Amino acid sequence: MSTAPQAKKTTTTPADAAPPTTPLKTAQPEQPAVEETHDQIVRLDPALIVRDDYNARTTRTEPDDELKASVAELGVQDPIHVRPQGNGTYGAFKGWRRAQAQQAANTTAAARGRPARQIPAIVRADLADNDAMTHLLSLIENEHREQMHNRDRVKAIETLALIEVSEEQREKTARALKIKRTELRAARRAARLDDTHLHHARARGFDLVQMAELADVSDVSRAVQVLEDAHARDVAEEGGGRGHWNQALARLQQAKAEAEARQRALDALEKADVPLLPDYFPHGTKNTSRPLTELRTPLGAPLTPDKHAYCPGHAARLDEDFQPLWYCCDPAKYGHKLRPGAKQAKQSMSEEEREARARTIAGNKAWKTARTVREDFVQRLCTGRSLPDAVRQFALRTVMSPPSLYAKWCEKSETEAVARLLKVPDPGAHTSRHSREGDPFDELVRRQGKTRGWHQVFAQVAAAFEYSMREPKAWQNLNRHQAAYLMCLTAEGYRLSDVEELAATAYLPRPADEDQAA
């Protein structure tokens, strides 16, 4: 294996100027050798310099014409940073474009019979086996340069997240880049964004976690615009936070999940050669289809999907969860009988009825989506360092003057929801309520009751309210206790979704001018 030629140093030290003759009596603090080499500038042959594999810049790596002209005239003025490669070359992790410009200038000089220039460099031998630090230093160097590409930055942070380093080093990396540890972990997902989305995301101040979340839903219609608007609303509000963002992201995630579920259902029907009936027929058009649950065979036996599969009228519709509902498109034509007590066939809906049904379905879906965001917020309250006074008072009022929904919840002796909010193992996971011996949360109360007792009480209260509002249609008839629960969360920073705000409208405090108008 070849070795790097002796580099010429351009700096001198007192030791270089005059060899020591007599040892000094006063001992000087001994500095590590690696520290001494960091600031020593040497001059290298540009032909020996290659791009380091852990150079953070991966786009626009070629020198532009202005840089080439400057280097051809004056040479490289600021030293580049390199580390030995072990084969006689040096890997440039800072200044690779300058090194290429000098290489090009030397090629031109040689063709014209002029002397070649060497390049000033700082050789970091201490980084020879430290890819993580090399990559980090390269990223920080390029981060402050105008031509640093958005994708370079995200890909560089992704690489740092994948390199095996100690937790201490990972913490140091995050601090140096002024990002959170969660952003380091999110970089890999963020890197899936295309250049256009990356540019928009950085221009609007998205962090890496938000970029990753955008990448997860970027194929949903208008996802970029929806999240940009939510981010702008969060920034504009006092206190900031992610309230609008979380609600918007949940809606997009739900839309993506629904689109995927619908497509899977359609693919399964197509594979089985089952036609999909339209959800609506034009007003005035007779709908002859009937669900199989309302039909019987000529002998009066129930008409199951398996029995009906060979009927020419075999068809399906999809319910709100994209599960197939089996139909016969014309029972009379194909000889099926109505079961006794079957309801009259529904007439085609009017435009107003269709719009009302569409609003109901949209509201049901929005309520279901909002619940996931709300429970995440409640979980953070239940696992936080201290429970706010207003939340403790709400829990106390509920326990001391329990509404019927809380009493019904207590009768269920449910443990899974409470354990989930507290992020503890479910003590009732392997036993039924009738076979339990003792109270399931006794051990938790014994261990944490003194310091986190109110957290446990609120988790029980919150679980009761969440259970009472679990049905998708609950938003249509919220009572005052449920509205008070939502207001309690709002006071602690929770951002109501549109459907939650609509559901609680009757109980929300009205502005003074509205009161006077009333």
Side-chain angles (χ1 to χ4, degrees):
M1 181 177 68
S2 62
T3 59
Q6 182 67 37
K8 299 179 181 179
K9 297 181 181 179
T10 62
T11 59
T12 62
T13 65
D16 295 326
T21 56
T22 306
L24 297 176
K25 299 297 183 181
T26 304
Q28 300 295 321
E30 191 172 317
Q31 300 294 330
V34 65
E35 291 293 330
E36 291 181 6
T37 62
H38 286 187
D39 297 327
Q40 288 183 344
I41 301 175
V42 301
R43 303 197 74 84
L44 299 176
D45 181 354
L48 298 175
I49 299 172
V50 297
R51 180 184 177 278
D52 196 283
D53 290 340
Y54 284 86
N55 190 312
R57 185 188 287 271
T58 58
T59 59
R60 302 174 185 169
T61 59
E62 300 293 327
D64 55 33
D65 291 340
E66 290 183 0
L67 179 58
K68 287 181 178 179
S70 171
V71 170
E73 185 68 26
L74 302 174
V76 174
Q77 299 300 305
D78 296 324
I80 66 173
H81 289 235
V82 298
R83 60 175 180 163
Q85 296 294 292
N87 60 354
T89 61
Y90 295 90
F93 59 91
K94 294 184 185 181
W96 172 230
R97 295 171 68 248
R98 282 172 280 155
Q100 291 178 91
Q102 188 62 72
Q103 290 170 348
N106 283 355
T107 299
T108 301
R112 297 176 179 177
R114 297 175 181 172
R117 284 193 177 105
Q118 292 188 319
I119 190 169
I122 295 177
V123 180
R124 293 293 300 269
D126 59 305
L127 297 179
D129 297 315
N130 195 339
D131 296 336
M133 181 56 70
T134 300
H135 201 59
L136 174 61
L137 293 175
S138 179
L139 174 57
I140 293 173
E141 162 78 6
N142 286 285
E143 182 90 288
H144 303 294
R145 294 185 177 272
E146 188 175 334
Q147 293 180 320
M148 178 69 170
H149 195 274
N150 290 320
R151 181 159 302 283
D152 283 345
R153 180 179 186 273
V154 175
K155 289 292 290 182
I157 296 175
E158 175 191 5
T159 301
L160 286 171
L162 295 176
I163 296 175
E164 290 295 332
V165 295
S166 66
E167 288 302 307
E168 181 182 0
Q169 181 63 52
R170 208 172 294 281
E171 288 282 0
K172 183 178 181 180
T173 297
R175 290 195 303 270
L177 295 173
K178 295 182 180 180
I179 62 176
K180 300 175 182 177
R181 286 284 303 277
T182 52
E183 292 186 75
L184 269 179
R185 293 192 293 268
R188 193 172 191 180
R189 286 158 53 212
R192 300 201 309 265
L193 287 173
D194 60 33
D195 288 345
T196 301
H197 286 157
L198 270 178
H199 174 75
H200 282 297
R202 284 211 73 190
R204 283 155 181 76
F206 290 11
D207 61 31
L208 281 168
V209 172
Q210 291 171 318
M211 290 184 191
E213 291 168 342
L214 171 58
D216 292 339
V217 297
S218 59
D219 53 347
V220 179
S221 176
R222 297 188 68 253
V224 177
Q225 294 90 334
V226 169
L227 289 178
E228 284 181 358
D229 178 65
H231 181 261
R233 293 170 69 186
D234 282 332
V235 171
E237 289 188 352
E238 184 178 353
R242 285 175 45 112
H244 292 291
W245 177 279
N246 288 340
Q247 294 290 357
L249 179 64
R251 292 195 300 272
L252 293 169
Q253 290 171 333
Q254 181 67 20
K256 180 176 182 177
E258 289 177 357
E260 292 173 347
R262 177 177 173 79
Q263 190 58 52
R264 286 194 298 270
L266 293 177
D267 291 344
L269 291 177
E270 183 179 3
K271 184 177 180 180
D273 199 23
V274 177
L276 182 69
L277 293 174
D279 291 330
Y280 304 106
F281 289 86
H283 188 53
T285 303
K286 185 177 181 181
N287 178 11
T288 59
S289 65
R290 284 280 190 153
L292 298 190
T293 54
E294 297 182 356
L295 301 178
R296 293 291 184 267
T297 67
L299 297 179
L303 195 57
T304 64
D306 289 339
K307 291 179 181 178
H308 191 257
Y310 302 100
C311 174
H314 191 54
R317 282 193 176 94
L318 298 179
D319 64 14
E320 293 181 13
D321 296 321
F322 307 104
Q323 296 301 310
L325 301 174
W326 304 106
Y327 278 75
C328 182
C329 62
D330 196 338
K333 180 179 179 179
Y334 299 114
H336 307 314
K337 295 182 178 180
L338 288 176
R339 66 171 174 78
K343 297 180 180 179
Q344 292 293 323
K346 294 182 178 179
Q347 298 300 316
S348 299
M349 290 184 180
S350 66
E351 189 67 27
E352 291 77 12
E353 290 173 327
R354 288 176 58 183
E355 290 179 358
R357 176 169 171 74
R359 284 195 299 270
T360 299
I361 293 174
N364 291 349
K365 290 181 178 179
W367 185 256
K368 182 179 178 181
T369 300
R371 183 181 180 185
T372 62
V373 181
R374 188 174 64 245
E375 287 194 357
D376 284 344
F377 182 86
V378 172
Q379 188 181 70
R380 290 195 294 273
L381 283 177
C382 292
T383 56
R385 180 170 297 180
S386 61
L387 200 65
D389 289 340
V391 177
R392 289 203 300 268
Q393 291 176 19
F394 178 83
L396 181 60
R397 286 195 300 270
T398 302
V399 172
M400 296 302 294
S401 302
S404 59
L405 64 87
Y406 185 71
K408 290 178 181 178
W409 167 256
C410 291
E411 290 176 0
K412 287 178 58 63
S413 298
E414 173 66 49
T415 59
E416 189 275 333
V418 178
R420 185 174 67 251
L421 293 179
L422 291 170
K423 286 189 176 182
V424 298
D426 178 9
H430 304 295
T431 58
S432 69
R433 56 177 293 192
H434 303 291
S435 60
R436 293 172 188 161
E437 295 182 1
D439 295 322
F441 287 107
D442 271 357
E443 177 62 19
L444 182 66
V445 172
R446 185 188 66 79
R447 287 188 292 106
Q448 300 182 0
K450 184 176 181 180
T451 57
R452 304 189 63 81
W454 277 111
H455 293 76
Q456 297 165 11
V457 173
F458 177 66
Q460 189 72 251
V461 168
F465 278 95
E466 292 297 336
Y467 180 80
S468 74
M469 301 188 297
R470 70 192 182 282
E471 295 296 336
K473 60 184 179 181
W475 64 279
Q476 298 177 348
N477 191 28
L478 219 62
N479 63 41
R480 66 182 181 88
H481 299 291
Q482 294 164 330
Y485 169 67
L486 294 181
M487 293 304 99
C488 173
L489 300 182
T490 302
E492 300 308 320
Y494 176 67
R495 164 58 58 182
L496 291 178
S497 66
D498 291 343
V499 70
E500 288 171 318
E501 192 168 333
L502 177 64
T505 297
Y507 305 99
L508 291 174
R510 293 187 298 178
D513 55 346
E514 290 187 12
D515 289 335
Q516 293 173 2

